[in-house]
Amino acid sequence: MNKVTRIEGRAVPVEGNDIDTDRIIPARYLKEITFTNMGKYPFYDERFDAEGKPKGHPFDLPPYQGASILFVNQNFGCGSSREHAPQSLLRWGIRAIIGESFAEIFAGNCTMLGIPTATVGQAEMQRLQGLAKENPGTPFVVDLEKKALLSGGKEHLKFEIHESKRNALVNGTWDSTGLLLANAGKTAEVARKLPYVNGFQPQG
Amino acid sequence: MAKGTLYNKVWDAHVVDQLPTGQTQLFIGLHLIHEVTSPQAFDMVAEKGLKVAYPNRTFATVDHIVPTKSQARPFQDHEAEQMMGAIEKNVKKFGIPFFDFKSGNQGIVHIIGPEMGLTQPGMTIACGDSHTSTHGAFGTLAFGIGTTQVRDVLATQCLGLDALKVRRVNVNGKLKPGVTAKDVTLTIIQKLGVKGGIGYAYEYGGSVFDAMTMEERMTVCNMAIEGGARAGYVNPDQTTFDYLKGRKYAPTADKWDKAVAYWKSVASDKDAVYDDVVDFNGGDIEPVVTWGITPDQSVGVNDRLPEIGRFPADEVKTVELAYRHMDLKPGAPIKGTPIDVAFIGSCTNGRLSDLREAAKVARGRKVAKTVRAFVVPGSQQVKAAAEKEGLDRIFTEAGFEWRAAGCSMCLAMNPDKLSGREISASSSNRNFIGRQGSKDGRTMLMSPAMVAAAAIEGKVADVRELMK
């Protein structure tokens, strides 16, 4: 599997706290039974008016086309567990998300797709979003080994990322089925010992 | 680090291994699936050439996309019909028990699990739905997962997880008349915030929880996730055991005592250690109404909407957006806000006791002419039980529509939606922008009895004034 160690590219800022997954992808798009088209839908209702004309959301502004890093604020991805949210961002082109904080289910879903969710402080994020707004062409590198965001070849700032998520990404084990399946024997053993699985039989 | 809590005990009993990533591989005792977040997961299992590892530990139903007016097949919405076809095909192919319309047990996944006795203390439970926290009411460790994790549970019956911290949330004292479990959970979220629970499981306790029924405990745990806590739970006690006895999947006579012994053993120790403890006085809690776009933006029904200056600087943007979206004004009373739609139902408040509370308010009264009101039982069983005691007639005589079981307008993935700028009084769990099917639609969350009161008055009302 792919090791995720460095993500290079321009950054797109999406400002606001508590941006929930209904806002990232409205529920009506969850009726599709594959993720194939999800790249068309991120932030749909915030991007388009009733006639389908763009309203000037960063995801539609020319300088951010092709951006691969997303800058967000607090509690990004709260609400519904729908994986359609990170799927839509990934398929739009996002490969890494830097924010002040993330809702837990959302961050877990991102890791399962190989998208790092890294955190920085509030002042740092304001600076980063400002930079991406004033100078959208700024190239960034998300370096998971150094836990640093680089720009212009220089270390811009350090970020935090949950160590187990970082390990999974840099070691290429974020698609976890293989790891879990390798323990099938141990899994069966745990199951046998659980009273509600073994029909509340006494343990020998 | 928490010690001796139910969280610690249930976690430890389910540990399979430490993964090289640093995560823990945890066995999942009960896996619940529904039509929306499972089709891609089944495809991934098939693509990898894998099987469902423990097909008897996964149970399926349909809830999110099902219409609540006519459930005749094929559904009018061809995408919904296709989704229904996908789950029917997958449960057959992989040998998974399926509670469909014909079973008499179909309903919202978090309502039918407890109702059938599938949800039992001391289990780990996962489902591709954030409101899986509901099952914590039984003293389980239950959390929502995404579709790729659904794939992992199907293929291995396990998840790779990071441990949570545990916050004890005490509510002591006694609730005032007219104050419900919904008001308790909304108050906790209002005080601790929608981000307050990130990284935590919430253990709810204290005399208010001791006195609650299982259905009330489910309402509180259901909304743990709205406070940022992926899991919330109540320690199992006699109320829990009494609820489970005799249910379809509950342990039978010869195993009952052993089961109860196990269930008692997982409860938090008296000297358990928590990462954090917060205390609430139940007597201070008022009927709550949300006024904004996150579930922590709420006030007591007799309060005025907060001034923007009262919020910390980094919350101001969200608050301003909330006021703009809702078209409400700081300083205005919430009581008297006109409504267009009244929705009673959802995994938060679609159980029999919720419908009874709402029916008490509706009995002998009429829904305001300006309001479209409907009641959606959470399951086929809830519907049948409600009809048996005549609740359907109370509602329809008052002018509410009486519907079939499903998620309905909680998330509007079905024909039940707000249109345009309609504003609803809703017994569901999320007031997010666009949540109820119209990007300009507006939602005020409250208890089912408060929704019934708003439906009758045509505006937000204090249910206690209708109880006199």
Side-chain angles (χ1 to χ4, degrees), chain A residues 15 73 100 121-131, chain B residues 314:
Chain A
E15 292 174 294
N73 301 100
E100 290 173 51
Q122 191 173 4
E124 283 82 11
M125 182 43 69
Q126 274 175 8
R127 217 172 61 212
L128 288 174
Q129 288 179 329
L131 186 59
Chain B
D314 59 347

Side-chain angles (χ1 to χ4, degrees), chain A residues 15-18 20-23 27-35 38 45-46 48-50 55 74-75 78-84 87 100-105 108-109 112-113 122 133 162-165 167-168 171 173-181 183-184 186-191 194-197 199-202, chain B residues 13-17 19-23 25 27 29 36 39-40 43-44 48 50 54 57 65 77 79 82-83 86 120 122-124 128-130 144-149 151-152 155-156 158-160 162 164 194-195 198-200 225 228 230 251 255 258-259 262-263 293-294 314-315 317-318 321 411 413 430 432-433 435 439:
Chain A
E15 292 174 294
N17 291 343
D18 308 316
D20 58 73
T21 53
D22 276 81
R23 280 168 70 184
R28 60 184 181 277
Y29 299 119
L30 276 56
K31 287 196 285 186
E32 297 184 14
I33 59 169
T34 70
F35 289 129
M38 294 300 134
D45 286 345
E46 309 198 342
F48 303 105
D49 65 14
K55 295 195 284 192
Q74 295 170 24
N75 199 26
C78 58
S80 159
S81 63
R82 59 188 69 169
E83 189 176 299
H84 306 69
Q87 287 276 2
E100 290 173 51
S101 63
F102 294 94
E104 227 151 304
I105 302 178
N109 285 341
M112 297 296 284
L113 302 180
Q122 191 173 4
K133 282 203 284 191
H162 206 289
E163 199 51 28
S164 70
K165 291 185 167 66
N167 287 337
N171 297 325
T173 53
W174 45 271
D175 184 348
S176 44
T177 315
L179 281 183
L180 301 175
L181 212 50
N183 279 328
K186 283 186 189 169
T187 303
E189 230 171 274
V190 168
L194 283 167
Y196 66 87
V197 177
F200 300 99
Q201 296 305 309
Chain B
H14 292 79
V15 171
V16 172
D17 205 358
L19 297 172
T21 56
Q23 283 191 316
Q25 179 169 351
F27 183 80
V36 176
Q40 302 90 338
D43 288 349
M44 292 185 234
K48 284 182 183 265
L50 298 170
Y54 292 76
R57 306 219 71 82
I65 53 109
D77 176 349
E79 280 187 306
Q82 192 184 26
M83 194 153 248
Q120 296 169 20
M123 284 182 166
T124 47
D129 189 283
S130 60
I145 56 177
T147 294
T148 304
Q149 290 170 316
R151 172 203 67 189
D152 279 358
T156 72
C158 292
L159 285 170
D162 294 308
L164 297 169
V194 290
K195 323 181 230 310
I198 294 180
Y200 283 96
I225 184 65
R230 193 173 189 177
K255 290 172 185 160
K258 285 175 196 153
Y262 170 64
W263 297 343
I293 56 169
T294 59
D314 59 347
E315 292 295 333
K317 267 190 191 163
T318 313
L321 175 64
L411 87 169
M413 279 190 73
R430 287 185 176 138
F432 298 159
I433 293 173
R435 172 75 178 181
K439 69 185 171 65

